[in-house]
Structure formats: structure tokens, C-alpha cells
Amino acid sequence: MNLLNSNFVRAAAVVVGVAASATIAHAGQISGAGATFPYPIYAKWAQAYQAKTGMGLNYQSIGSGGGIKQIQAKTVTFGASDKPLKSDVLDKYGLAQFPMIMGGIVPIVNVEGIKPGELVIDGETLANIFLGKISKWNDPEIAAINPGVNLPSKSIAVVHRSDGSGTTFNFTNYLNKVSSSWKSTVGSDTSVQWPVGIGAKGNEGVANMVKQTGDSIGYVEYAYAKQNALSYTKMKNKEGHVVAPTSDAFQAAAANADWAHAPGYRLILTDQPGAGSWPITAASFILMYKKPVDDKASSEALKFFEWAYHNGGDAAASLDYIPMPMSVVKMVEDTWQKDIKDSHGKALAFR
Amino acid sequence: MSGAEENTFPTGPATPDDGTAGPRSWIGKAFSSVSLSAAIIVMLSLGGVMYTLSIGAAPALKEFGLGFLTAEVWNPVTSQFGAAAPIAGTLETALIAMLIGVPISVGIAIFLTELCPEKLRHGFAITIELLAGIPSIIYGIWGLFVLAPYMQRHIQPFLIDRFGDIPIIGNLFQGPPYGIGILTAGLILGVMVLPFITTVTRDVFLTVPSLQRESAYALGATTTEVIWNVVIPYSKVGMLGAIMLGLGRALGETMAVTFVIGNAHRISASILAPGTTISASIANEFTEATTPIYTSSLFALGLILFVITFIVLSVAQYMLHRIKKAEG
Amino acid sequence: MDIYAKRKLINRLSLAFATVATAFGLFWLAIIMWTLLSKGITSLNLILFTETTPPPGASGGLSNAIFGSVFMNALAIMIAAPLGILAGTYLAEYARDSKLGAVARFVNDILLSAPSIIIGMFVYELMVVPMGHFSAWAGTVALAIIAIPVIVRTTQDSLLLVPDRLREAASALGAPRWRVITSISYRAAKGGILTGVLLALARVSGETAPLLFTALNNQFWSTDLNAPMANLPVVIFQYALSPYVDWQKLAWSGALLITAAVLFINITARLLASRDRSTKRI
């Protein structure tokens, strides 16, 4: 057959050849997917870890909902979620869960003339904005807690997440705690039925959309606000103090955490007591199979986490994440030893 | 070879054709069966798509019944899902796209066939066709970074100020100017379908016999009158086919819309409001749907989109087929 | 106003509309191209082709995504071309007027315009779920399914352009059917078929939706067909929707690269087609 002549055939041979050899040369790589909340720090760790060990981490930030789904579907070695799963769900799928990093969720605004940290907001007001009850920036309720701030008479453009999101889970969990009308009409989960606003994908998407859209408000993990110089707000916390989103404020909230007594490390850190506590603080979790499909890949993943716990603190601090305290790391390592076993029933190596 | 052979070349028994005789007759047999298998694989892939979507959609359709089509609720927390908002968004954006795309496409087709200097005709036509080749993600990124901010700053405030207070029509122009939303998505789609509709319409116009055209001119008709009384009546069916083809594209387009639709599962009277379309919902939520019923609901959305586009495209094929037949 | 003046005026107005409509269509092309060029060219440098996609805040390029796209597209075309050409051959040479042919033609035309995201869902169920993970293979198959109808259609159309006189002449000389097809029809329609393959390549090069659930994406360089693979469209999607300025810049560069490649392939295909048509007219 002289069809399309032999060049075509030759090209085909080359591609098939490359394909075959590529399949054999399986490069070392850990695959994970999930939460966008910790993505900036995971990406930073991954780069440093690859430079050191040659082992890459392919982490796709597709949202916590995605992380939960993909680990259940066993398409990844680990899933990541900012919504901790309950023990019965963990047992049902045979999953181990442990916290990896903590951080703060901050409201971000794009209003002309408003500088980062200039606006103060409390839980009730935040809930009313996201319920659509407050629709103008110069609403008396906002003005009352912001004396002296020049608020425009513009409509508020609300930006929320469109994907299943642990950031949304923690954000709505907080609104649930502070607003009864939020609790009765919307509720709390990784994705909810938003009364108003536009949806954006991931923390990245919300940050981008707020940046793009004038007079808007959204909520993101603090690293996204910081890296992109977005105007975050201060917040009034449980004890009525106005706090700025800083690592100290996140740390203060995290200090209340009692990891030792939480089954499956299931802890939610919103609306914590303490004068300096940031009200929407959250931990991000890793989900892994107790009996992994691929022992070697899972072992490599644990080695990465182990490295990140012990060597990733500075990188975390530079992005204002809060590393897990060493006491918690010790507990997590014990959990690994105890729960995550290879096909012969032996604990997976992580050092 | 069976009935598939009938009426095609070669017809008579005199041909030393596939497999009846000759030393290398097996090659002919093999060749025809391999090409038949290839055609069957093509057909199977459509069948596979239909089958997969139906199987995937079954749990959701069983759970919610026909109410799935009319419920606006989309709540992963309570596992209640309804397709009304994405269906409405899909139809709305496609309608806006058609309102913009059709008159302009027909205008361009008229320009290309009746007005354009002979020398430039080919160049213009190719340029418009190249517009069809631009990947939809490019329209999306452009829509988000260039069109949406312009809409938010200029077009939408103007629409709200100008029309927002008029009774009834005013409902279309309510709410804060987000920049992105149903109208912006419709606009982008309108630009995207331009080249598709234009190219097919132009081809249809070119099938009008020049005899008819010239007779009308000879009777003293103006160009416009020739277009209205000769070209368009002659090309009616084909034009409709072209429009349906464009509509099929607009209904199923994903990336361009996902960037600028706003991803909100709500039906609003206002075309400035954010919404969602079937394809945008799937693109955004498919990899992250956590529960089986959530995933199944997305499959059901996919099935609905498939059925809608299948009908529209079938009508388009039928119309364009008729034109081809008429052409001889 | 007398009737002649009125007719003239209407004529002028409607012709003006047609001209304005054309200007409008070209205006969009111009403005999109201008945006692409002005935003994409600023970070168009060597690093783009030598470094992989960076995490936020670090510098990097698109090399892994460029490789992934080229690789998956090429592989998809390798799968789609033989299948599409054979199916197109069947439609044009064996089933011109048969029922089965009519059905296959109809199915193919539906597939040609079917929403590509649905193809993505199909391949997700077909491959990602059974295999247990996203993979370049799945992405390749999804792209191939999109490319096939384009090739079937163009193969069929260009074979139908081959005059039956040629086939009759060859048959009269005693050539069996398959020989007529391979030596006469294919030879005459070669340019048209190649054009179709190129158009299919252009079409899949920009496809994003079907890759979202199949090839997914990969931050690193990967040549493993059984693992997720980076590709330009998904990287553009992800980076454009991010707030990071350097990511957005990369997205624009990627967009410029894709568009340039697609336009280049399209124009090449058209040149081939026009050259071919001029030689074919006997």
C-alpha cells in the first residue's frame, strides 16, 4: 500500500518505539490529588524533595472533594482533603488519615481604595454577605464595624468555590457556628448550594476571580492572599477581638487542638477560643489506604511526608502555614507503623 | 459481500472482484472486511458513548425520576440534584449565541458570495475558516482576561443603568456587574459559532444556480432583492442546517464557557447573572464528585446534553443532506 | 421618496450590513490574535522549551506540557489515521448507497460535532476506572476518538471526488477491487486524505475538555503512558485560572504556541488541498 507513503509509516514506527520504551522506563513518582488549600506548600516541598532525592511528587490540586473521590477510586497513591473524614467512612474504605499542615482561611476583597487588613469583618456579617442579605459595600452593618473606612455604594460581587472543597467545608463550618440563618438555609460541607455569587475552581480560581472582578469578596487559604498581594480582611474572633491573619493568630487557634484524643485525627479548628485566635483556621489531611495497592509507591509517599514533617518547616513558615508540632508527628508516625501495612502484613518503610 | 455492494461501482458480474476467483482473492476479502470493521468501530464508539452515559445516568434518573429535569436544586450536601439550572444555562447561552451569530454569519456569507471583490474572496473565506480552527480554550482565556473585565466596567453597568428600570425587560439586566455570566458566555459562543455557520452558509449560497441569480439581475433587481428573493429562498433548508450545526456546537461547547459562565447552579431572570451550563458543570465537578449519586447525576447531565445535541445535529444533517441531494 | 430611491436605499443599507458583519467577524479574529501575541510573546523564550511547569512562585517553562501534547497528539493520530482512512474507504468504495453506509455516515457526522466533554466521560469509564488511574493512554484514546470522524469524513469526501472513470478503467484492465482502491483511488485522493489527517491533528491539538478526565496533568516530565501526562491545554486551563502572575504568563505563552501550531497545521492542510485539487482536475 503506497498510501501516504513510507514517511508516515516511519513516523509511526518512531512514535510506537518511544511509547514502548517509555512504558518500560517508569520514572519514580508519587501521585496524589486533592485539596487546593495546601497546594502551594506541597508544590514547594515537592520541588525541594525532587532536587534532593530525584523522587517527584505529582500533586494535582483538584479540590478536597476530588481528593476523597480519587483515593476511594484508587486512582492515586494518596488523597488530600481539608475535610477530615469520620471514622466510619475511614473504616469503610480501609483508609488511614493524618494531618499534614495547618493554615488560615481569610476573606479577600477587591474594593477600590481598600488596602490589605484595612477592612474588619465579623462572622455574622460575613454570613449575611454570602447569603445575599447584605448586597452593597456601604451597608450599615459593614459600616458599623468599620468606622472611618470609605466604603463605596457598589454591589458586592460574591465569589465562592465551584468544586468540592475543604476550604469551603471549613469556611461554611465557621459560618454555621456563628450564624443561625446560615445553618438553617445553607449548612456546611465541601460544596453547598450558594444563594448568591459566582463559582470559581480551587483556591487559585477564587483568588484569580477576586483579582479580576471589581467590588468582589471571596475566601482563600492565606498563602494565596499573600502570594498574590490580595486585600485580606481582619476578623472579629470568638472572644470579640479583632485579629489579623498572621501565623501567630493561626498558631493560637491551633494550640487548642487535642490531636491525641481525636479518632482518625478528625479535628476542626474553626471558631476556637483564645484572645489571639484566628477564627477560620484549618488543618489539611492526607488519606491513604491501609493496605495499599502499590506498596512501593505508598512507601515512597510516606518517605516524602516524613521528610516534609522534619525538613519542611521553613518552607511552610515562608508561606504562613503552620507545621504540625513534633508531638503530633510522633503520633502520626506511630499510626503509620501500626496501620499501614504491605501485602505481607509488614509495616511500610518510611525512613 | 452482501447488500453493502449493491448499486456501487462496480455493478456487473463481469468484474474480477473480491474473492470469487483468482490466486490472491483473499487480499480483497481481507481488505473489504478490515475496512468494514473500521466503519463498525466508528459506529460502536457512538454506541459506546450512549451506553456508558445511560448506565452512568441510571441511578440518578431512578432516584429523582423525571423531576431531575425540572428541579433547580444542586446540593451535594443533601444529595439532591436537578438539571434545571444547567439546562436553562445551556439553552440561554446558546440562544444568545444564535441571536448574535446567525445574522452576522449570514451577513458575512452574503458579503463573501455577492459583494466581495473576486480577488479577495478566497482570502477572506480562508481567514474566516481559520477562525473556526482556533481552539476553544483560547476563546475562554481571552474571554476571561479581556472581554469579562470590559463587560464589567463598561457594558454591564450601561445595560443596568439603561434598561434595569424598565418593567419586564429590566429583569434581564439586574444584579451586580460580575463581568462573567450568561451574557458574556453567550457572546463568546456567538463569536465561536460565526465561522461554522458562515462557512456552511456560504457553501449553500454557492449552490444557487447562477442562471436564477442572473435572470433576477436582468429583470432589474437590486443585489438585496436578489439575495432576499432568489438566494435565501433557494438556500432556506441548507441555511437552517448550517444554523442547527452552529447550535449543536454552541450547546456542547465546554472550555470557552467554563471560563466565563460563573459556575453557579442557579436560574436567574437576569442575563448578567452567573449561571452554569451542562458541559461547564461536568468539566468542573466530574473529577471531584464524591458520592455515587453525585457522579451519576453528572452522567445524567451528560446524557441530556447528548440527547439534545443528537437531535439538533440530526436535524442539521437531514437538512444539509437534502440540499446535497437537490444539488444532484 | 420614489420607489427606485427606496429600493436603492434598502440595497445600500443591507449591503452595508453585510460589509459591517464581515468587518465584525474579522475584528474578533484580529483582536484575539493581537491579545495572544502581545500577552504571549513577552515570556516566549528558550526556557519555555527547556524547563518543566513550575510550582507557584518559581520560574519554569512548559517543556513537559509541550512534549505531552505533541506525544499524545501524534499517538492519537497514529491510532486514528488507519482506522479513519479504512472506515472512510468503506463508506466511499463499498457502501456508497447501502443502508449500512448511510447509517455509518450519519453516525460519523454526529460524532464529528458531538460535545468533546462527553467523549471524555466515555473514556473515563472505558479506561480510567478499569485501569485505576489517569493515564496518557486514556488521553490518547479520547483524542483519537475525536480525530477519527474528521479523517473518516475527509477520506470519504476525497475518495468520492475521484472520478469513477478511473475505477472503471482499472477494472477493465482486470484489476481486482482492492487493487483499484489502493492503486487508483488512494493515489488520486492522496492529497485529500493527508489534508484530512492534518485537519484532525489541528482539531485534537486544541482539545481540552476530553483531557481533563483522562490524561489529567503532571507537574513533572513524564514519558510514562500509564501515568498522568502534562499537556498544554490542561496546563493553560489550570494556569489561566490561577492568581499567579507568572502562571498566567505561561498560560498566555502556551495559548500562543497552541494557536500558532493549529493555524500552521490548518494552513498547511489547506495549501495541500488546493494544490491537490488543481492537479486532480483532469
Side-chain angles (χ1 to χ4, degrees), chain A residues 309-344:
Chain A
Y309 276 142
H310 292 280
N311 304 289
D314 290 343
S318 73
L319 290 170
D320 291 274
Y321 285 94
I322 309 299
M324 301 311 294
M326 272 308 132
S327 56
V328 181
V329 169
K330 189 84 208 22
M331 281 189 264
V332 170
E333 286 169 355
D334 288 345
T335 308
W336 291 348
Q337 196 83 35
K338 196 160 74 17
D339 284 352
I340 304 181
K341 301 278 170 67
D342 66 10
S343 47
H344 307 295

Side-chain angles (χ1 to χ4, degrees), chain A residues 1 62-70 72 93 155-164 186-201 208-209 212-215, chain B residues 31 72-78 80 144-146 148-149 152-153 175-181 258-259 261-266 273-274 283-290 292 294-295:
Chain A
M1 208 160 45
I62 57 175
S64 294
I68 296 169
K69 175 174 175 179
Q70 297 311 334
Q72 284 172 358
Y93 289 96
S155 300
I156 303 177
V158 171
V159 181
H160 54 71
R161 292 282 290 271
S162 66
D163 51 336
V186 183
S188 163
D189 209 331
T190 52
S191 105
V192 296
Q193 187 126 19
W194 298 96
V196 291
I198 48 180
K201 218 170 147 60
N208 181 39
M209 211 48 96
Q212 281 278 314
T213 312
D215 309 308
Chain B
F31 190 74
E72 195 191 332
V73 59
W74 189 267
N75 193 337
V77 182
T78 56
Q80 289 299 312
L144 180 67
F145 287 103
V146 182
Q152 195 197 14
R153 254 173 264 138
Y178 280 106
I180 60 180
T258 306
F259 274 93
I261 188 78
N263 303 317
H265 276 277
R266 279 192 302 275
N284 268 317
E285 298 169 42
F286 189 66
T287 45
E288 347 179 298
T290 32
Y294 191 176
T295 310

Side-chain angles (χ1 to χ4, degrees), chain B residues 36-54 306 310, chain C residues 79-80 83-84 87 103-104 106-112 114-115 118-123 126 141-150 152:
Chain B
L36 172 65
S37 332
I40 287 174
I41 288 177
V42 171
M43 287 191 273
L44 280 183
S45 61
L46 187 76
V49 170
M50 252 190 276
Y51 176 78
T52 314
L53 290 178
S54 311
F306 184 78
F310 187 87
Chain C
I79 297 170
L83 266 172
V103 172
F106 171 77
V107 165
N108 191 65
D109 282 350
I110 295 284
L111 275 176
L112 198 59
I118 285 178
I119 308 290
M121 290 178 109
F122 170 54
V123 176
L126 187 75
V141 169
L143 292 178
I145 293 179
I146 288 163
I148 287 171
V150 182
V152 173

Side-chain angles (χ1 to χ4, degrees), chain C residues 39-54 59-67 221 232 235 239 246-258:
Chain C
K39 295 212 178 200
I41 218 149
T42 50
S43 46
L44 203 62
N45 48 32
L46 203 64
I47 292 173
L48 210 59
F49 301 94
T50 55
E51 285 184 19
T52 56
T53 46
S59 81
L62 296 168
S63 63
N64 51 338
I66 295 171
F67 168 80
W221 182 274
L232 276 176
V235 168
Y239 280 20
D246 32 357
W247 273 18
Q248 289 178 358
K249 272 191 188 152
L250 281 176
W252 280 108
S253 304
L256 180 63
L257 283 182
I258 284 201

